[in-house]
Amino acid sequence: MNNSELSALLKDMSLDEKIEQLIQLHGGFFGEVGTITGPAAEFKMTGDQPYRTGSVLGEAGAKRLRELQDKMTAAQPHHIPALFMADVIHGYKTAFPVPIAIGSSFNTELAEKIAEAAAKECSAAGVHVTFSPMVDVSRDARWGRCMESPGEDPYLNSEMAKAEVKGFQGDDVKKPGRVAACAKHFAAYGAPVAGRDYNVTEISEHTLYEDYLKPYRAAVEAGVKLVMTAFNTIDRKPCTTNKRLLRGILRDDMGFDGVVISDYNAVGETVIHGSSYDKRDAAVKALSAGCDIDMMSDCYLSGLRAAVQSGELDESLIDEAVMRVLKLKNDLGLFENPYKDGSEEAEREIIFSKEIQELGRKAAVETAVLLKNNGVLPLSISQKIAVVGELCDSPMIVGSWSIFADRSRTVTLKKALETLCPECDIKFFPSDNADEASEYAKGCDAVIVCVGENEEHTGESMSKADISLSEAHNRLVEAVSGVNKNVVTLVFGGRPLGIARADSLSAAVLEVWLPGTVGCLGIADILFGRENPSGRLSMSLPYCSGQLPITYAMYKTGRPKPENTGFIRYMSNYMDVPNRPLYSFGQGLGYSEIEYSAVRLDKDVIGRGESARASVTLKNLGERDQLEAVQLYIRDEKSSVVRPTRELKGFKKVLVPAGGEVEVGFIITERELEFYGEDMRLCAEPGDFKVFVTRDSLGENCATLRLEGG
Ligand code: NOJ
């Protein structure tokens, strides 16, 4: 349809029809047509009204969705097709490593491929829109949803956001295998006070713009089709009724012209927040603020008609929102083909294809982070090995938002090792009983200890006040390390955990996150040296919860304590732990050592509109090819507002062949130097900048670049 056809359609729709387009219900509303029970009855819906609504949440499966679409288009007076939206966060039937792990790959091409594979699988199952990518910057491991985000850094999250939007949507979302993406949760959902999910945020204007808004802006620039509002408040206003946020920042400033959808019952929850008087007030506020679709509250359903009739709400606002929904349906080609790619044949052909499984295995290799290795890794198949801990044979390592993943296909670490190393002398003890585990560990050449959290301990609403490894897991590592000095600790989980004790007792530590359906095959590849790990931490691992929130990009204080000294009174530091985390953002090892040359700048001074190139030569001192995540950080030495000690401004993952050398360069323009100034405008101020090209956020390899000009 062209725009005038869409306008004609809109003009012909009744007010009720239009409001119904703005309502999203979950699958439980769709029983027998005409029999209203359960949730539909609670929403006081009548007749076939659920079938006339504009979109459905959380349903997938080609057969089911084709049938549902037939009923919905038949019920809708203008036969407007419904949109099927679902949470396909890091895979559909095949789960890939969780997003915090994907962030740790520092590989945007990989992130794009994963999104593309997820889109292929779920679009074959009839899904049109995925509620992904989640791009919230998260610096607080107490917040269970940090699992769903690429990490702590605005730049990394922005690059991942762009890659994923591209991977889901391609260059034309109508094309086969593509789904519309939805960036969430707008805004700053990753900064709940005290790490408690759904809690309020308290962030300054500078922090909001400088740290939290950037990844959403990147997603908008990449053409994301939808944006989801967040549950939290910003500056005391719930995001879903926050006009300044949705119309001012998202639409006017960022130029977003797609669909804004609320989070689940977020419109209704503004009544519970106490900032809307009742459902009708909530509906008026949310729609006026710019929220087009009401996901799973009955506010729009019960409130909008009366608000228009009383003159409280201008119908043109409803028209505007409906038009955006119709445009999205049109962009997806649903008026011509309401099922899009959904077919049972496509499901059979695409889901669990060999190509997708191989990607899942490779993804685990690039997302696992080797934090420590005294040489015990890689293991050799001639060694006698024990593998202990319940997590070594747990299928609960897929991720809590992998709601469609087929758990029967989960390859546990035990299964992976048995499949890949049948000739190896490996004993498994899939239990956390420390005393018995140490019996297994005795007399082995090395022992792999699986600790951390399974998927039920991270994710939405799974906040923790204490992120330490459990007592049982600390005891397990202690007991095993008492009888075997070659302890390889594998840390599972969706958040940075407090592993300081286990780390000090281990010869090697590998952060494997929640690796997904077949990820343990990749982990086994790493353990036995068939693959070389190349992940880098996308979130810093603190010593303890008291350091949270934490990031490498801490703001400069007036009383900085020199690194590597003990506690100094009247300086900004802790008495009991260092300021730095146990492992900082960007850290991670491979099996080959990579030597960095000093940073070279092609110019020491640039003027306005000019650029400089910073480069290093990497030399692989090892015997294996190594994928290296080279990181560019910049520190603004003096500025009108206080700036972080350094900020990530670029990264490249490059292959450095064994014994070989590779040159890596980054272009630095004013864009890399700018920040929000005193007047909240983006500016780059003249002066000196330290340019670091390093292996991680701690590296000191740098040169000074001067920006000149007024
Ligand atoms: C609530 C979650 O916050 C959001 O991320 C998700 O997409 C929706 N529910 C829909 O399931």
Side-chain angles (χ1 to χ4, degrees), residues 1 6 54-55 69 81-85 119 122-123 126-130 168-170 172-182 225-226 259 293 324-342:
M1 281 210 216
L6 286 176
S55 57
Q69 188 66 290
L83 277 165
F84 297 130
M85 309 197 189
C122 78
S123 67
V127 173
H128 304 141
V129 175
T130 172
F168 286 125
Q169 298 187 168
D172 180 358
V173 73
K174 201 179 275 167
K175 288 192 181 156
R178 298 300 180 176
V179 293
C182 174
K225 294 282 179 193
L226 298 95
V259 170
I293 298 181
R324 282 195 279 264
V325 173
L326 295 179
K327 275 197 174 138
L328 175 61
K329 294 183 175 187
N330 196 39
D331 288 349
L332 283 155
L334 300 187
F335 288 103
E336 292 78 39
N337 174 11
Y339 315 114
K340 196 163 182 305
D341 312 319

Side-chain angles (χ1 to χ4, degrees), residues 287 584 605:
L287 194 85
S584 189
V605 181

Side-chain angles (χ1 to χ4, degrees), residues 668-679:
I668 301 167
T669 65
E670 275 182 73
R671 182 132 200 226
E672 280 65 47
L673 308 180
E674 68 193 12
F675 63 99
Y676 288 91
E678 276 178 301
D679 57 359

Side-chain angles (χ1 to χ4, degrees), residues 57 87 89 131 145 148 184-185 189 198 228 231 263-264 295 401 460:
L57 144 83
D87 288 278
I89 310 295
F131 293 128
R145 296 198 82 172
E148 286 174 66
K184 65 189 190 184
H185 306 80
Y189 182 44
Y198 318 124
M228 187 186 291
F231 287 123
D263 202 341
Y264 199 102
M295 181 201 291
W401 263 116
E460 186 171 346

Side-chain angles (χ1 to χ4, degrees), residues 679-709:
D679 57 359
M680 290 308 297
R681 280 173 209 270
L682 273 178
C683 62
E685 292 177 355
D688 286 350
F689 296 83
K690 278 264 180 319
V691 175
F692 300 82
V693 183
T694 58
R695 66 180 91 246
D696 56 41
S697 60
L698 303 177
E700 289 297 341
N701 192 25
C702 66
T704 303
L705 176 69
R706 168 168 277 271
L707 173 69
E708 288 191 334

Side-chain angles (χ1 to χ4, degrees), residues 108 111 133-135 150 155-168 183 214-216 218-220 222 224:
T108 50
M134 197 259 235
V135 301
Y155 180 83
L156 176 70
N157 287 21
S158 299
E159 293 303 298
M160 290 291 163
K162 287 193 264 178
E164 289 184 32
V165 169
K166 199 162 158 224
F168 286 125
K214 283 178 179 167
Y216 311 108
V220 170
V224 73

